[in-house]
Amino acid sequence: MNQTPFDGTAHMAANPFKRTYRPTAKNPATLRTTSSLDDILALYEESLDTAVDGNNYHHGVFYNSISQKVDPRRCITPSDINQFILLTQSFEKHEYYTHTTGMWISLLMNRAYNQGHNKFYLDLQNTKPLDCIGFNLAGNRNKKIKVMIEGTVGDEFGAQSQHAVFYCREGNLLFSPSFVNSTFYLGRTSILSGRVYEHFRIRINGYSQSCYQMLPHEFEAAWNHAKKIIERNCNGS
């Protein structure tokens, strides 16, 4: 099942703060130390000046626009993505940091997946809760994308993902018919009404959701098993 492609970048609003924002590095010594990501970081910085209004359609338009900027032949590895996360931290004061950064991480995971990587370990312990992590991830039934997240993610976690498995201590889900066979292992989550759920495995396929409340030790066992596999894979990338 393929998602309808997004188009229409004309719908994106211009940021009234364009060219007035200047990043301040938390640790200038670590800023842009990885020259291999300079091209990606430059495109990311430009995209911060494009408004993301919190609407799923406009998220799709924005995702499509940044996707067109990155050459599909550009090599991306799981370790590159964590380095990218570190480099973005100097932009945290930007109005659209949380949405834009989550979108870029998702795009880079898709590009890495297309190059043969399907396991990702994201360290978000030192960032703001990022929105749209896992947005539009597109795995397939024979090779699912598996994502483990240390730290807390923001809203619209995994939105519009296909054939993906997420492990996260805390994140907020927004159900959508565009989910295709995605599974979430969540230590704590807020769903729709704001009610908090703990230790859940949630499988979503379109409007169909299957929720299973795990015992704490079941969640920890699933977490530790996945972490061992995913970390081993990512450390070898």
Side-chain angles (χ1 to χ4, degrees):
M1 177 178 177
N2 295 322
Q3 294 181 341
T4 303
F6 289 97
D7 199 0
T9 54
H11 288 275
M12 293 186 296
N15 184 350
F17 299 99
K18 186 175 178 65
R19 290 187 295 277
T20 63
Y21 172 77
R22 293 292 181 271
T24 301
K26 288 182 176 178
N27 183 355
T30 64
L31 184 62
R32 299 195 183 194
T33 56
T34 305
S35 60
S36 63
L37 292 177
D38 278 352
D39 59 328
I40 298 294
L41 195 68
L43 294 171
Y44 162 81
E45 186 175 353
E46 290 176 6
S47 71
L48 283 166
D49 288 325
T50 301
V52 179
D53 67 358
N55 175 282
N56 252 348
Y57 170 76
H58 287 89
H59 286 339
V61 172
F62 181 79
Y63 181 93
N64 188 58
S65 74
I66 61 175
S67 178
Q68 293 172 2
K69 295 177 184 294
V70 182
D71 189 328
R73 296 168 296 181
R74 174 65 163 85
C75 181
I76 301 292
T77 68
S79 58
D80 285 336
I81 296 171
N82 275 309
Q83 183 63 31
F84 172 79
I85 293 168
L86 287 174
L87 292 171
T88 68
Q89 289 177 15
S90 60
F91 299 91
E92 282 191 343
K93 292 183 180 179
H94 194 284
E95 181 179 6
Y96 299 120
Y97 173 78
T98 57
H99 281 80
T100 303
T101 307
M103 287 285 190
W104 271 95
I105 293 169
S106 302
L107 171 64
L108 296 178
M109 284 195 288
N110 266 333
R111 291 300 172 84
Y113 175 80
N114 292 339
Q115 295 167 17
H117 303 281
N118 74 315
K119 298 180 180 69
F120 302 91
Y121 177 86
L122 304 181
D123 186 353
L124 303 180
Q125 296 176 90
N126 297 311
T127 69
K128 290 181 177 180
L130 300 177
D131 299 331
C132 301
I133 291 289
F135 180 88
N136 209 39
L137 282 192
N140 64 58
R141 67 176 69 250
N142 297 318
K143 188 177 182 180
K144 294 187 175 184
I145 299 178
K146 297 182 179 181
V147 183
M148 169 160 276
I149 300 168
E150 290 279 12
T152 301
V153 298
D155 294 333
E156 298 180 81
F157 174 36
Q160 302 185 191
S161 59
Q162 302 181 29
H163 300 289
V165 182
F166 299 93
Y167 300 84
C168 186
R169 292 289 183 185
E170 185 166 355
N172 298 328
L173 287 177
L174 178 64
F175 286 143
S176 164
S178 57
F179 281 103
V180 179
N181 288 323
S182 286
T183 303
F184 297 80
Y185 289 83
L186 295 162
R188 180 182 175 90
T189 184
S190 173
I191 306 175
L192 291 180
S193 64
R195 179 180 175 186
V196 173
Y197 297 82
E198 295 187 344
H199 305 116
F200 260 80
R201 182 185 68 215
I202 304 171
R203 290 183 176 141
I204 311 175
N205 187 30
Y207 285 109
S208 174
Q209 296 102 37
S210 173
C211 300
Y212 169 69
Q213 185 164 21
M214 309 174 79
L215 295 172
H217 76 272
E218 289 179 305
F219 176 84
E220 292 300 327
W223 175 274
N224 291 330
H225 177 71
K227 185 174 182 178
K228 178 186 287 188
I229 295 172
I230 292 173
E231 278 189 323
R232 183 170 64 237
N233 177 268
C234 292
N235 288 336
S237 63

